[in-house]
Amino acid sequence: MTERGTDRGYLLDNQQAEAGVRFGALAELFDPVTFRHVDRLGIGAGMRCWEVGAGGPSVPLGLAERVGPAGAVVATDIDVSWTQDIAGGAIEVLRHDVAADPPPSPGGFDLVHARLVLVHVAERAEAVRRMVRALRPGGWLLLEDADPMLQPLLCPDEAGPEERLANRLRSGFRTLMAARGAELSFGRTLPRVLREAGLAEVGADAYFPITSPACAVLEDATVRQIRGRLVAGGLADDAEIDRHLSNVAAGRLDLATAPMISAWGRRPAMAAAEA
């Protein structure tokens, strides 16, 4: 994910080598959830999908499998470093800022999906309006976003000093995110956001792992990406970060993620859904 609406820059830059590792871990953790919803919404052959803030390739590829050669998947991001190689066939890859640029095909999509995107976008209300306008009548908007304040701990079972250090560094991560305009309680608001956008048949659920090998991979890559900022901000020193990375590598920590809220709503078939 690198869609954003702030000139302060997305904290987890796609240009860093660790970004690809993060995308792989996020896919392992959350693709099953995403595609459970996509399939339940009936996305299939011949349909048109817009994947917003695609980041990595896994979701566009999964959507392309479902829509087939008669369908289309438009994958957009302000940085397409990790998706440009999958362009072709049903998949089109475009550089695009969801909060600033016109939708790639207004009124034409059966599904618009964004995962772990809007929490980082300062102009998120405008981004939602643009995504709603891109839906055909009867099309679905599926938004999935984190809510770090709903479950703020990296180690919910804070059993000892290793877990306490992990949770302190996670608190530092949240501080850095908030300083860049991230809304850390945004996930829980998604059902209301969809209703206020004029969508119908709104529903939502939540998922987060308590422990998983992919959580450890994600944590290692994330801390390596933000290490310099943690130190520069006085949120941790190098020795603490090295100790935490060693603890993660040892595999004795039960590492969780923030809850990911999935919310969906449908554009009414006989009326415009302008927000």
Side-chain angles (χ1 to χ4, degrees), residues 68-129:
V73 176
V74 181
T76 66
D77 204 312
I78 61 169
D79 183 339
V80 298
S81 301
W82 299 93
T83 51
Q84 58 190 357
D85 291 343
I86 65 172
I91 300 177
E92 181 180 10
V93 176
L94 299 174
R95 288 182 175 85
H96 181 275
D97 185 331
V98 68
D101 299 328
S105 179
F109 290 104
D110 298 283
L111 173 72
V112 177
H113 173 247
R115 185 174 78 190
L116 304 177
V117 172
L118 291 179
V119 69
H120 301 283
V121 176
E123 297 85 7
R124 56 188 63 90
E126 178 60 26
V128 171
R129 282 192 288 269

Side-chain angles (χ1 to χ4, degrees), residues 126-208:
E126 178 60 26
V128 171
R129 282 192 288 269
R130 290 170 189 251
M131 287 189 276
V132 169
R133 287 199 295 269
L135 292 170
R136 67 164 181 81
W140 290 97
L141 177 58
L142 173 60
L143 299 180
E144 300 184 296
D145 237 313
D147 194 314
M149 298 308 292
L150 196 60
Q151 193 294 103
L153 301 178
L154 179 61
C155 295
D157 179 20
E158 195 177 76
E162 295 178 346
E163 289 83 2
R164 287 193 290 273
L165 173 60
N167 287 338
R168 184 158 61 80
L169 293 184
R170 177 53 56 93
S171 177
F173 180 33
R174 293 197 309 275
T175 298
L176 293 175
M177 289 177 63
R180 283 157 179 77
E183 175 50 69
L184 301 181
S185 300
F186 180 64
R188 73 193 72 180
T189 73
L190 288 176
R192 172 170 54 82
V193 166
L194 295 183
R195 285 194 302 271
E196 291 177 350
L199 300 186
E201 301 177 51
V202 171
D205 64 17
Y207 168 79
F208 74 100

Side-chain angles (χ1 to χ4, degrees), residues 27-43:
E28 182 175 341
L29 290 167
F30 296 124
D31 276 9
V33 177
T34 293
F35 286 111
R36 173 168 58 84
H37 293 304
V38 167
D39 293 339
R40 187 183 53 78
L41 296 176
I43 305 306

Side-chain angles (χ1 to χ4, degrees), residues 11 23 35-36 45 50 53 62 87-89 119 174-175 190 237 244 261 265-267 272 275:
L11 181 61
F23 290 145
F35 286 111
R36 173 168 58 84
W50 177 17
V119 69
R174 293 197 309 275
T175 298
L190 288 176
D237 60 36
H244 174 61
I261 314 295
R266 194 170 200 169
R267 182 172 183 175

